[in-house]
Amino acid sequence: MFVPRPETELLAGWAIDHARTLEAPVVVELCAGAGAISLSVVHEVPGARVHAVELDEPAFEWARRNLVGTGVDLRLGDMADAFADLDGQVDVVVANPPYIPLDAWESVAPEARDHDPALALWSGDDGLDAMRVVDRVAWRLLRPGGVVGAEHADAQGESAPAVFTGRWADVRDHRDLADRPRYVTATKPRR
Ligand SMILES: C[S@@+](CC[C@H](N)C(=O)[O-])C[C@H]1O[C@@H](n2cnc3c(N)ncnc32)[C@H](O)[C@@H]1O
């Protein structure tokens, strides 16, 4: 199972800060893994309605255990077609998708590449295949004015925001505590 990394706290913090500005926000986590981000949001944002999806069955099983009693709506499945019942109703979409290019084996820490499941790591030739799915799904789910935030590799500080360039407003990249590019956020315009 993929072990949540400290860097992801920043993305979770961003989702919490944004959700706290809203009354009864609807939050969706894509690629939930063991459910750490959803667990943070549901604990830190009173009144939030949190939904999460994970494709890998063992990870889903961990998330199910971690989220017992929290009220998080956890679903097993592919984010690509998840939550059709929430289309246009979501305030915040948050995701830590797989983002490592298929040929970047050498650059990945041995403890990750030897133990984390492949589905949690690799994401096509440029590492952004899953990010492109996050872009499409977030656009479908968010209401106008809703926001998406997604973690990426430190080498993707320009290429990850570029996925959201065009129809999204306020596309921004954010750095981690070591000053490395770490996650991108964008807003669905209200027009
Ligand atoms: C980098 S891990 C992040 C897990 C967790 N969100 C965290 O931050 O610790 C990516 C997760 O995305 C899941 N995943 C990959 N492709 C997916 C898809 N198409 N739909 C849903 N989940 C997916 C993997 O199984 C893995 O659990």
Coordinates of all heavy atoms in Angstrom, one line a residue, residues 84-133:
A84 N -20.8 10.3 -11.0 CA -21.6 10.9 -12.0 C -22.8 11.6 -11.3 O -23.4 12.6 -11.7 CB -22.1 9.9 -13.0
D85 N -23.2 11.1 -10.1 CA -24.3 11.7 -9.3 C -23.9 13.0 -8.7 O -24.8 13.7 -8.2 CB -24.7 10.7 -8.2 CG -23.5 10.2 -7.4 OD1 -22.4 9.9 -7.9 OD2 -23.7 10.1 -6.1
L86 N -22.6 13.4 -8.7 CA -22.2 14.7 -8.1 C -21.8 15.7 -9.2 O -21.3 16.8 -8.8 CB -21.0 14.5 -7.2 CG -21.3 13.6 -5.9 CD1 -20.0 13.4 -5.2 CD2 -22.4 14.2 -5.1
D87 N -22.0 15.4 -10.4 CA -21.6 16.3 -11.5 C -22.1 17.8 -11.3 O -23.4 18.0 -11.0 CB -22.1 15.9 -12.9 CG -21.3 14.8 -13.4 OD1 -20.3 14.4 -12.8 OD2 -21.6 14.3 -14.5
G88 N -21.2 18.7 -11.3 CA -21.6 20.1 -11.1 C -22.0 20.6 -9.7 O -22.5 21.7 -9.5
Q89 N -21.8 19.7 -8.7 CA -22.2 20.0 -7.4 C -21.1 20.1 -6.4 O -21.3 20.3 -5.2 CB -23.2 18.9 -6.9 CG -24.4 18.7 -7.7 CD -25.2 17.5 -7.3 OE1 -25.4 17.3 -6.1 NE2 -25.6 16.7 -8.2
V90 N -19.8 20.0 -6.8 CA -18.7 19.8 -5.9 C -18.0 21.2 -5.7 O -17.8 22.0 -6.7 CB -17.8 18.7 -6.4 CG1 -16.5 18.6 -5.5 CG2 -18.5 17.4 -6.5
D91 N -17.6 21.5 -4.5 CA -16.8 22.7 -4.2 C -15.3 22.6 -4.3 O -14.6 23.5 -4.8 CB -17.2 23.2 -2.8 CG -18.6 23.5 -2.6 OD1 -19.1 24.5 -3.3 OD2 -19.3 22.8 -1.9
V92 N -14.8 21.4 -3.9 CA -13.4 21.2 -3.9 C -13.1 19.8 -4.4 O -13.6 18.8 -3.8 CB -12.8 21.3 -2.4 CG1 -11.3 21.1 -2.4 CG2 -13.1 22.7 -1.8
V93 N -12.2 19.7 -5.4 CA -11.6 18.4 -5.8 C -10.2 18.4 -5.4 O -9.4 19.3 -5.8 CB -11.8 18.1 -7.3 CG1 -11.1 16.9 -7.7 CG2 -13.3 18.0 -7.6
V94 N -9.8 17.3 -4.7 CA -8.4 17.2 -4.3 C -7.8 15.8 -4.7 O -8.6 14.8 -4.6 CB -8.2 17.5 -2.8 CG1 -9.0 16.5 -2.0 CG2 -6.8 17.5 -2.3
A95 N -6.6 15.8 -5.2 CA -6.0 14.5 -5.7 C -4.5 14.5 -5.5 O -3.8 15.5 -5.8 CB -6.4 14.3 -7.2
N96 N -4.0 13.3 -5.1 CA -2.6 13.1 -5.2 C -2.5 11.9 -6.1 O -2.4 10.7 -5.6 CB -2.1 12.7 -3.8 CG -0.6 12.4 -3.8 OD1 0.1 12.6 -4.8 ND2 -0.1 11.8 -2.7
P97 N -2.5 12.1 -7.4 CA -2.5 11.0 -8.4 C -1.1 10.4 -8.5 O -0.1 11.0 -8.1 CB -3.0 11.7 -9.6 CG -2.4 13.1 -9.5 CD -2.4 13.4 -8.1
P98 N -1.0 9.2 -9.2 CA 0.3 8.8 -9.6 C 0.9 9.8 -10.6 O 0.1 10.3 -11.4 CB 0.0 7.4 -10.3 CG -1.4 7.4 -10.6 CD -2.1 8.3 -9.6
Y99 N 2.2 10.0 -10.5 CA 2.7 11.1 -11.4 C 4.2 10.8 -11.8 O 4.8 11.7 -12.3 CB 2.6 12.5 -10.8 CG 3.1 12.6 -9.3 CD1 4.4 12.5 -9.0 CD2 2.2 13.0 -8.3 CE1 4.9 12.7 -7.7 CE2 2.6 13.2 -7.0 CZ 4.0 13.0 -6.7 OH 4.4 13.2 -5.4
I100 N 4.6 9.6 -11.7 CA 6.0 9.3 -12.1 C 6.1 8.8 -13.6 O 5.3 7.9 -13.9 CB 6.7 8.3 -11.2 CG1 6.6 8.9 -9.7 CG2 8.1 8.0 -11.6 CD1 7.1 7.9 -8.7
P101 N 6.9 9.4 -14.4 CA 7.1 9.0 -15.8 C 7.6 7.5 -15.8 O 8.4 7.1 -15.0 CB 8.1 9.9 -16.4 CG 8.1 11.1 -15.6 CD 7.8 10.6 -14.2
L102 N 7.1 6.8 -16.8 CA 7.4 5.3 -16.9 C 8.9 5.1 -17.0 O 9.4 4.1 -16.5 CB 6.7 4.7 -18.1 CG 5.2 4.6 -18.0 CD1 4.6 4.1 -19.3 CD2 4.8 3.6 -16.9
D103 N 9.7 6.0 -17.6 CA 11.1 5.8 -17.7 C 11.9 6.4 -16.6 O 13.2 6.4 -16.7 CB 11.6 6.3 -19.1 CG 11.4 7.8 -19.2 OD1 11.0 8.4 -18.2 OD2 11.8 8.4 -20.2
A104 N 11.3 6.8 -15.5 CA 12.0 7.5 -14.4 C 12.4 6.5 -13.3 O 12.6 6.9 -12.1 CB 11.2 8.7 -13.9
W105 N 12.5 5.2 -13.6 CA 12.7 4.2 -12.6 C 13.9 4.6 -11.7 O 13.8 4.5 -10.4 CB 13.0 2.9 -13.3 CG 13.4 1.7 -12.4 CD1 14.6 1.3 -12.2 CD2 12.5 0.9 -11.7 NE1 14.6 0.2 -11.3 CE2 13.2 -0.1 -11.0 CE3 11.1 0.9 -11.5 CZ2 12.7 -1.0 -10.2 CZ3 10.5 -0.1 -10.7 CH2 11.3 -1.0 -10.0
E106 N 15.0 5.0 -12.3 CA 16.2 5.3 -11.6 C 16.0 6.4 -10.5 O 16.7 6.5 -9.5 CB 17.3 5.8 -12.5 CG 17.8 4.7 -13.4 CD 18.4 3.5 -12.6 OE1 19.0 3.8 -11.6 OE2 18.3 2.3 -13.1
S107 N 15.1 7.4 -10.8 CA 15.0 8.6 -10.0 C 14.1 8.3 -8.7 O 14.0 9.2 -7.9 CB 14.4 9.7 -10.8 OG 13.0 9.4 -11.0
V108 N 13.5 7.1 -8.7 CA 12.5 6.9 -7.6 C 13.2 6.2 -6.4 O 14.0 5.2 -6.7 CB 11.4 6.0 -8.1 CG1 10.4 5.7 -7.0 CG2 10.7 6.7 -9.3
A109 N 13.0 6.7 -5.2 CA 13.6 6.1 -4.0 C 13.3 4.6 -4.0 O 12.2 4.2 -4.2 CB 13.1 6.8 -2.8
P110 N 14.3 3.8 -3.7 CA 14.1 2.3 -3.6 C 12.9 1.9 -2.7 O 12.2 1.0 -3.1 CB 15.4 1.8 -3.1 CG 16.4 2.8 -3.4 CD 15.7 4.1 -3.4
E111 N 12.8 2.6 -1.6 CA 11.7 2.2 -0.7 C 10.3 2.4 -1.4 O 9.4 1.7 -1.0 CB 11.7 2.9 0.7 CG 11.5 4.4 0.6 CD 12.9 5.1 0.5 OE1 13.8 4.6 0.0 OE2 12.9 6.3 0.8
A112 N 10.2 3.3 -2.3 CA 8.9 3.5 -3.0 C 8.8 2.5 -4.2 O 7.8 1.8 -4.3 CB 8.8 5.0 -3.5
R113 N 9.8 2.5 -5.0 CA 9.7 1.7 -6.2 C 9.6 0.2 -5.9 O 9.0 -0.6 -6.7 CB 10.7 2.0 -7.3 CG 12.1 1.5 -6.9 CD 13.2 1.9 -7.9 NE 14.4 1.2 -7.6 CZ 15.6 1.7 -7.9 NH1 15.7 2.8 -8.5 NH2 16.7 1.0 -7.6
D114 N 10.2 -0.2 -4.8 CA 10.2 -1.7 -4.5 C 9.0 -2.1 -3.7 O 8.8 -3.3 -3.5 CB 11.5 -2.0 -3.7 CG 12.8 -1.8 -4.6 OD1 12.6 -1.7 -5.8 OD2 13.9 -1.8 -4.0
H115 N 8.3 -1.1 -3.1 CA 7.2 -1.5 -2.2 C 5.9 -0.9 -2.5 O 4.8 -1.5 -2.2 CB 7.6 -1.2 -0.7 CG 8.8 -1.9 -0.3 ND1 8.8 -3.2 0.0 CD2 10.1 -1.4 -0.1 CE1 10.1 -3.6 0.4 NE2 10.9 -2.5 0.3
D116 N 5.8 0.3 -3.1 CA 4.6 0.9 -3.4 C 4.0 0.2 -4.6 O 4.7 -0.2 -5.5 CB 4.7 2.4 -3.7 CG 5.0 3.2 -2.5 OD1 4.7 2.7 -1.4 OD2 5.5 4.4 -2.6
P117 N 2.6 0.1 -4.7 CA 2.0 -0.6 -5.9 C 2.2 0.3 -7.1 O 2.2 1.5 -7.1 CB 0.5 -0.7 -5.5 CG 0.4 0.0 -4.2 CD 1.7 0.5 -3.7
A118 N 2.4 -0.4 -8.3 CA 2.6 0.3 -9.5 C 1.5 1.4 -9.8 O 1.8 2.5 -10.3 CB 2.7 -0.7 -10.7
L119 N 0.3 1.0 -9.5 CA -0.8 1.9 -9.8 C -0.7 3.3 -9.0 O -1.2 4.3 -9.4 CB -2.1 1.2 -9.3 CG -3.4 1.8 -9.8 CD1 -3.5 1.9 -11.4 CD2 -4.6 1.0 -9.3
A120 N 0.1 3.2 -7.9 CA 0.2 4.5 -7.1 C 1.4 5.3 -7.6 O 1.5 6.5 -7.2 CB 0.5 4.1 -5.7
L121 N 2.2 4.8 -8.5 CA 3.4 5.5 -8.9 C 3.4 6.0 -10.4 O 3.5 7.2 -10.6 CB 4.7 4.6 -8.7 CG 4.9 4.1 -7.3 CD1 6.2 3.2 -7.3 CD2 5.1 5.3 -6.3
W122 N 3.3 5.1 -11.3 CA 3.6 5.4 -12.7 C 2.4 6.0 -13.4 O 1.2 5.6 -13.2 CB 4.0 4.1 -13.4 CG 5.0 3.4 -12.6 CD1 4.8 2.2 -11.8 CD2 6.4 3.8 -12.3 NE1 6.0 1.9 -11.2 CE2 6.9 2.8 -11.4 CE3 7.2 4.9 -12.7 CZ2 8.3 2.9 -10.9 CZ3 8.5 4.9 -12.2 CH2 9.0 4.0 -11.4
S123 N 2.7 6.9 -14.4 CA 1.6 7.6 -15.0 C 1.9 8.0 -16.4 O 1.9 9.2 -16.8 CB 1.1 8.7 -14.2 OG -0.1 9.2 -14.6
G124 N 2.3 7.1 -17.3 CA 2.5 7.4 -18.7 C 3.9 8.0 -19.0 O 4.7 8.2 -18.0
D125 N 4.1 8.3 -20.2 CA 5.5 8.7 -20.7 C 6.0 10.0 -20.0 O 7.1 10.1 -19.6 CB 5.5 9.0 -22.2 CG 5.4 7.7 -22.9 OD1 5.6 6.6 -22.3 OD2 5.0 7.7 -24.1
D126 N 5.1 10.9 -19.7 CA 5.5 12.2 -19.1 C 5.0 12.3 -17.6 O 5.2 13.3 -16.9 CB 5.0 13.4 -19.8 CG 3.4 13.5 -19.9 OD1 2.8 12.5 -19.3 OD2 2.9 14.5 -20.4
G127 N 4.4 11.2 -17.1 CA 4.0 11.2 -15.7 C 2.7 11.9 -15.5 O 2.2 12.1 -14.3
L128 N 2.1 12.4 -16.5 CA 0.9 13.3 -16.3 C -0.4 12.7 -16.9 O -1.4 13.4 -17.0 CB 1.2 14.6 -17.0 CG 2.2 15.5 -16.3 CD1 2.7 16.7 -17.2 CD2 1.7 16.0 -15.0
D129 N -0.4 11.4 -17.2 CA -1.6 10.8 -17.7 C -2.7 10.9 -16.7 O -3.9 11.3 -17.0 CB -1.4 9.3 -18.0 CG -0.7 9.1 -19.4 OD1 -0.4 10.1 -20.0 OD2 -0.5 7.9 -19.8
A130 N -2.4 10.6 -15.4 CA -3.5 10.7 -14.4 C -3.9 12.1 -14.1 O -5.1 12.4 -13.9 CB -3.0 10.0 -13.1
M131 N -2.9 13.1 -14.2 CA -3.2 14.5 -14.1 C -4.3 15.0 -15.1 O -5.2 15.8 -14.8 CB -2.0 15.3 -14.1 CG -2.1 16.8 -13.7 SD -2.5 16.9 -11.9 CE -0.9 16.7 -11.2
R132 N -4.1 14.4 -16.3 CA -5.1 14.8 -17.4 C -6.5 14.3 -17.1 O -7.5 14.9 -17.4 CB -4.6 14.4 -18.8 CG -3.4 15.2 -19.3 CD -2.9 14.8 -20.7 NE -2.0 13.8 -20.6 CZ -0.6 14.0 -20.5 NH1 -0.1 15.2 -20.5 NH2 0.2 12.9 -20.5
V133 N -6.5 13.1 -16.4 CA -7.8 12.6 -16.0 C -8.4 13.5 -14.9 O -9.6 13.8 -14.8 CB -7.7 11.1 -15.6 CG1 -9.1 10.6 -15.1 CG2 -7.2 10.3 -16.7

